[in-house]
């Protein structure tokens, strides 16, 4: 893409790679949450939002994780955002 940014095939390939990476990152955060590794899951969701953009589902999951991790003020703040 750097050589020819109008290359449609290159754009599709890059989109597929980005989609796969996005799905893998989200699944990794979900696995951490399921394993009750709340602190690590919060970090993974925050990193996901940083790299792929925030979604309401990720923000809601993060708020829940703060609550489950006994970080009530952060949970309240996250729910309000």
């Amino acid at each position: 893409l750097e050589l020819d940014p109008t290359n449609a095939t290159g754009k599709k390939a890059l989109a597929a790679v980005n989609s796969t990476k996005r799905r893998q990152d989200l699944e990794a955060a979900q696995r951490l949450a399921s394993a009750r590794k709340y602190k690590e899951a919060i970090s993974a969701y925050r990193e996901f939002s940083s790299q792929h953009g925030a979604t309401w589902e990720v923000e809601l999951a993060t708020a829940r994780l703060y609550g489950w991790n006994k970080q009530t003020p952060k949970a309240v703040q996250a729910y309000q955002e």
Side-chain angles (χ1 to χ4, degrees), residues 4-49:
D4 182 5
T6 62
N7 184 305
T9 303
K11 284 183 178 182
K12 286 181 185 178
L14 184 57
V17 168
N18 287 340
S19 177
T20 299
K21 174 81 168 114
R22 184 180 192 280
R23 187 185 76 253
Q24 290 171 339
D25 290 348
L26 183 58
E27 289 172 356
Q30 291 167 336
R31 281 192 302 276
L32 288 167
S34 293
R36 297 183 179 196
K37 295 181 177 182
Y38 302 137
K39 184 177 179 180
E40 295 90 344
I42 290 166
S43 294
Y45 276 118
R46 289 293 177 212
E47 182 65 23
F48 176 90
S49 292

Side-chain angles (χ1 to χ4, degrees), residues 58-69:
V58 168
E59 295 302 313
L60 180 60
T62 303
R64 287 180 179 152
L65 287 165
Y66 279 129
W68 295 338
N69 201 40

